[in-house]
Amino acid sequence: MAAAKLNTLLQTKVIESQPEACYLLGKLEGILSRSIEEKTETYSFLIPLVRTLVSKIYELLFMNLHLPSLPPTNGSPSFFEDFQEYCRSDEWQVYIDKYIIPNMKQYEENSFRHDNEQMALYWKDCYEAFMVNMHKRDRERGESKLKFQEHFVEPFSRKARQENLRYNSMLKQLSSQHTATLRQWRAAQLYLFSERGPWAERKQRPIHWKLSNVENFSRMRLKLVQNYNFNSHQDASDLRDNLGVHQTQPCSESLLLEVVKQVKVSDLEDDVLELPEEDTAASSNLDEKDEESQKEKLILSEDCELVTVIDVIPGRLEVTTQHIYFFDGSIEKEEGVGFDFKWHLSQIREIHLRRYNLRRSALEIFLTDQTNYFLNFNKEVRNKVYSRILSLRSPNISGTRSPQELFKASGLMQ
């Protein structure tokens, strides 16, 4: 099939130059000579091509002068065997080596070099056009990205924030409605099942009480409210008592005496504050110029920790002549959420020594607005900070006696 198509192309091909004819004949003769040497069947497919090509270039290459013994190609029945023998002759080999091959190489150099130059120019133009289109596309993509962000991303973000706010507010409303409804149901249940209610039980259940969360100015809870969620913790009691091992329960008076006997006075004495001499001298000899001038002056700055119910926040405490500052030094502060505080000295109502993790290293500051803050220091720094705050002589500070003095004043040891 391929040989037939090549034969058709050769018949329709117009060969005008000798170098082109030499190129075609040289390439075909190389394949033909290899097939003759290897004795393959390719020779039978190449003979029609050779006959067509030789008949077209016979006069162009002056074969009648150079190849007088060439077998005729005008339909001779013995051309197949005659040309095979003629290819081995010296006349044919000399003609191919001296005339055909040099012209074939020259044609390859001229044609392919021109083609390579054309291809190089073509690919260069393609590369330049590609770079121009790429820069244009990047610019258009940047503009389209800004437009997309302006028309789609930002409105979507605003809508998402609004939807989140709406959803959270809806959850809060549902929670408040649920709490109010539950409170009403409990009130109705208490009214109906109370001892004077219409559905009162004949066997009265025991009533349990608990301290109310309401505090007075001294942070004392003096009111009892009914405990509707009482739990005797019977399972925990059974586990503690080794599942039913009954032990004699001592009376409450003996327990109280035993607790009082186990109080270690030495531990209480350790909590007694011993003010350094230099701090007492500083407190008694405050500079009159600083008191007259209302300018704020830094007195003390120490690293500490703010202890909350759920976290311990590292920071720094600064004591001045007018305020006490706490600066949050945690990672959350860098993200925009922090626990920075500023207290005026007149807001401090009480300040007490405390223990943190069984170490005498903490202070608890009570303010006039019923809030308190628990600060943990190094063990050597705690007393220094305490004495410096007392040396400022704030008018509202009260209840700064040591735990030993408070324990003696309570009268529990009498």
Side-chain angles (χ1 to χ4, degrees), residues 176-207:
S176 61
Q177 291 177 3
H178 176 73
T179 304
T181 304
L182 185 62
R183 189 183 298 113
Q184 293 175 2
W185 275 107
R186 286 179 178 176
Q189 182 182 8
L190 180 62
Y191 171 76
L192 295 174
F193 288 94
S194 62
E195 57 183 4
R196 296 185 180 182
W199 297 345
E201 296 181 0
R202 294 182 179 180
K203 184 178 179 181
Q204 186 67 26
R205 294 182 180 180
I207 300 176

Side-chain angles (χ1 to χ4, degrees), residues 227 229-234:
N227 186 6
N229 299 320
F230 175 76
N231 188 358
S232 62
H233 301 286
Q234 187 65 35

Side-chain angles (χ1 to χ4, degrees), residues 137-197:
R137 185 173 63 252
D138 292 340
R139 186 171 60 254
E140 293 176 354
R141 184 179 299 173
E143 295 176 356
S144 62
K145 184 177 180 181
L146 292 175
K147 292 181 180 179
F148 179 80
Q149 186 173 2
E150 180 182 358
H151 294 287
F152 294 96
V153 177
E154 294 180 357
F156 176 79
S157 301
R158 289 195 298 269
K159 191 67 177 178
R161 288 193 296 269
Q162 295 175 0
E163 182 64 21
N164 290 332
L165 292 175
R166 186 197 63 80
Y167 180 72
N168 293 330
S169 62
M170 183 191 67
L171 291 180
K172 290 180 180 179
Q173 292 177 2
L174 291 177
S175 178
S176 61
Q177 291 177 3
H178 176 73
T179 304
T181 304
L182 185 62
R183 189 183 298 113
Q184 293 175 2
W185 275 107
R186 286 179 178 176
Q189 182 182 8
L190 180 62
Y191 171 76
L192 295 174
F193 288 94
S194 62
E195 57 183 4
R196 296 185 180 182

Side-chain angles (χ1 to χ4, degrees), residues 105-269:
K105 292 181 179 180
Q106 185 177 1
Y107 179 79
E108 288 180 347
E109 293 178 358
N110 296 332
S111 300
F112 293 159
R113 183 176 59 187
H114 179 71
D115 293 341
N116 292 334
E117 292 177 356
Q118 294 293 329
M119 290 299 294
L121 293 175
Y122 172 76
W123 287 116
K124 183 179 180 181
D125 296 339
C126 291
Y127 178 75
E128 292 178 354
F130 171 74
M131 294 301 294
V132 170
N133 291 331
M134 185 176 66
H135 289 301
K136 186 185 297 184
R137 185 173 63 252
D138 292 340
R139 186 171 60 254
E140 293 176 354
R141 184 179 299 173
E143 295 176 356
S144 62
K145 184 177 180 181
L146 292 175
K147 292 181 180 179
F148 179 80
Q149 186 173 2
E150 180 182 358
H151 294 287
F152 294 96
V153 177
E154 294 180 357
F156 176 79
S157 301
R158 289 195 298 269
K159 191 67 177 178
R161 288 193 296 269
Q162 295 175 0
E163 182 64 21
N164 290 332
L165 292 175
R166 186 197 63 80
Y167 180 72
N168 293 330
S169 62
M170 183 191 67
L171 291 180
K172 290 180 180 179
Q173 292 177 2
L174 291 177
S175 178
S176 61
Q177 291 177 3
H178 176 73
T179 304
T181 304
L182 185 62
R183 189 183 298 113
Q184 293 175 2
W185 275 107
R186 286 179 178 176
Q189 182 182 8
L190 180 62
Y191 171 76
L192 295 174
F193 288 94
S194 62
E195 57 183 4
R196 296 185 180 182
W199 297 345
E201 296 181 0
R202 294 182 179 180
K203 184 178 179 181
Q204 186 67 26
R205 294 182 180 180
I207 300 176
H208 302 280
W209 303 88
K210 66 177 181 179
L211 283 175
S212 174
N213 293 327
V214 180
E215 297 180 352
N216 61 3
F217 184 78
S218 300
R219 299 184 67 87
M220 300 172 62
R221 297 191 294 175
L222 304 178
K223 183 181 179 181
L224 290 176
V225 294
Q226 191 172 354
N227 186 6
Y228 297 102
N229 299 320
F230 175 76
N231 188 358
S232 62
H233 301 286
Q234 187 65 35
D235 296 337
S237 300
D238 292 340
L239 291 176
R240 180 196 62 190
D241 299 335
N242 296 324
L243 296 176
V245 177
H246 299 284
Q247 298 179 358
T248 57
Q249 299 291 335
C251 61
S252 59
E253 295 181 357
S254 62
L255 286 176
L256 180 60
L257 290 175
E258 188 67 23
V259 171
V260 172
K261 289 179 181 180
Q262 292 179 357
V263 173
K264 295 183 179 180
V265 181
S266 60
D267 291 342
L268 295 174
E269 291 178 352

